[in-house]
Amino acid sequence: MRAYRLTKAGAAPALLDIPVPAPGPGEIGLRISACGLNFADLLMIEGRYQDTPEPPFTLGMEVAGTVTSLGPDTTGPAPGTRVAVFGGQGGLAEAGCFPAARAVALPDAMSFTDAAAFQIAYGTSHVALAHKARLQPGETLLVLGAAGGVGLTAVEIGKLMGARVIACARGADKLGVARQAGADHLIDAACDDIREACRGLGGVDVVYDPVGGAQFKAAMRACRPEARLLTIGFASGEVPQIPANHLLVKNLSVMGLYWGGYLNFRPEVVTESLATLFDWYEAGRIRPHVSHVLPLDRAAEALDLLRSRKSTGKVVVTPSEG
């Protein structure tokens, strides 16, 4: 089978032919129909992600496909079942083996493309806003990087939760996507003063930040007393250094959110969140925004869309049909 693999640290990934793996105990074999890309995939290539496997490994954190086989002492899901799986690696391939416990059966109406774009982006935003920040109806939510993979879902979920949503992104096209997702107010990060724009709107109660750097600093200065700031990631490349005295004066709270980490110490948080999100999908309340769908032999191009900030929402790679 074909797989897009990182063979050693510092090397460029490559599309290789490798044997089809056999599932071990507690695993399922999967024919992979779609793989959602994430900024973390880029960090893995650079060796800068907190959960980067030791090379060699196949890139691709979240997948959707059809179960083909079960490993020893594995009871399900049964072969033929359509599932989505957050595997952490292994998705950019025509087939793979993944933990059966992480496989989520798909609603009949959900396409593989939607499923591959669903878990990390929606899961991160829902756990961040509902579980960590306890976002309340009527509060003001500022979403940085609002047209990106996780940012766009934060706009959508924040609006569903009854917040007034301020979306911050670069350029009219990306801001238009955020408006379609439900944003009430728009800030162009390329030319607007984030702090002054937010203060002109009365300040913010919750900041959702996958960007870091100068945008985090500006957002913090626009916070109302007792605001909560969610650090989701650092797409800017700069991890902000937070002045504790500013937190003290305004009684601010800064909260880190690593969605995958909950699978290790409180998996029920993820399970309950995904149940809610799949219910919302079936009810037509949320729909993934996928700007690009490319075949496996264009995986490098797909990753470059993330690297160059040319995508909105999610980029999905389709290793096999069906």
Side-chain angles (χ1 to χ4, degrees):
M1 71 174 194
R2 298 181 304 160
Y4 192 68
R5 290 175 65 79
L6 189 70
T7 56
K8 62 180 180 179
L15 189 61
L16 304 173
D17 285 314
I18 64 172
V20 177
E27 291 185 333
I28 56 171
L30 195 70
R31 182 176 73 249
I32 299 171
S33 294
C35 175
L37 300 187
N38 294 275
F39 191 76
D41 292 307
L42 300 178
L43 297 179
M44 282 190 183
I45 293 170
E46 299 168 4
R48 297 194 295 123
Y49 189 60
Q50 60 265 24
D51 279 343
T52 301
E54 285 295 322
F57 67 91
T58 299
L59 291 158
M61 301 178 70
E62 59 180 331
V63 301
T66 305
V67 178
T68 56
S69 58
L70 302 178
D73 302 318
T74 306
T75 57
T81 305
R82 301 168 66 252
V83 299
V85 187
F86 169 71
Q89 61 173 299
L92 286 174
E94 293 172 323
C97 297
F98 301 95
R102 294 188 184 180
V104 180
L106 301 182
D108 291 341
M110 180 178 266
S111 69
F112 286 127
T113 297
D114 276 2
F118 195 82
Q119 290 194 80
I120 293 178
Y122 279 111
T124 294
S125 293
H126 185 253
V127 171
L129 296 175
H131 176 73
K132 293 287 285 188
R134 307 289 182 183
L135 179 68
Q136 299 299 308
E139 289 191 313
T140 297
L141 167 68
L142 169 63
V143 180
L144 304 177
V150 292
L152 198 59
T153 62
V155 172
E156 197 175 1
I157 290 173
K159 192 65 179 176
L160 273 177
M161 294 178 67
R164 181 179 67 149
V165 180
I166 304 171
C168 180
R170 290 186 178 274
D173 290 345
K174 290 187 176 182
L175 288 172
V177 171
R179 182 179 289 283
Q180 290 176 0
D184 299 290
H185 303 280
L186 306 175
I187 297 174
D188 191 334
C191 58
D192 293 337
D193 184 316
I194 295 172
R195 177 194 180 192
E196 290 305 314
C198 290
R199 292 179 70 175
L201 293 168
V204 300
D205 300 298
V206 175
V207 176
Y208 182 99
D209 178 24
V211 177
Q215 291 192 30
F216 176 91
K217 297 172 187 176
M220 186 173 70
R221 298 184 71 184
C223 282
R224 294 171 176 163
E226 293 196 320
R228 292 89 74 201
L229 297 96
L230 293 155
T231 59
I232 308 299
F234 312 104
S236 68
E238 180 186 346
V239 179
Q241 303 304 301
I242 301 168
N245 59 316
H246 290 192
L247 304 182
L248 180 151
V249 170
K250 283 191 175 181
N251 290 287
L252 304 179
S253 299
V254 178
M255 306 174 179
L257 192 285
Y258 169 40
W259 180 79
Y262 276 98
L263 294 169
N264 298 322
F265 68 93
R266 285 194 65 190
E268 72 277 5
V269 171
V270 172
T271 301
E272 292 168 7
S273 171
L274 287 176
T276 296
L277 291 166
F278 277 104
D279 285 346
W280 285 355
Y281 180 93
E282 290 194 88
R285 302 182 72 189
I286 56 176
R287 278 293 181 271
H289 174 89
V290 179
S291 65
H292 297 81
V293 180
L294 287 84
L296 183 59
D297 58 9
R298 295 173 66 186
E301 181 183 342
L303 286 163
D304 195 56
L305 289 167
L306 296 186
R307 187 179 291 109
S308 61
R309 311 289 199 272
K310 292 180 179 177
S311 60
T312 54
K314 296 284 283 190
V315 175
V316 172
V317 171
T318 53
S320 60
E321 300 297 326

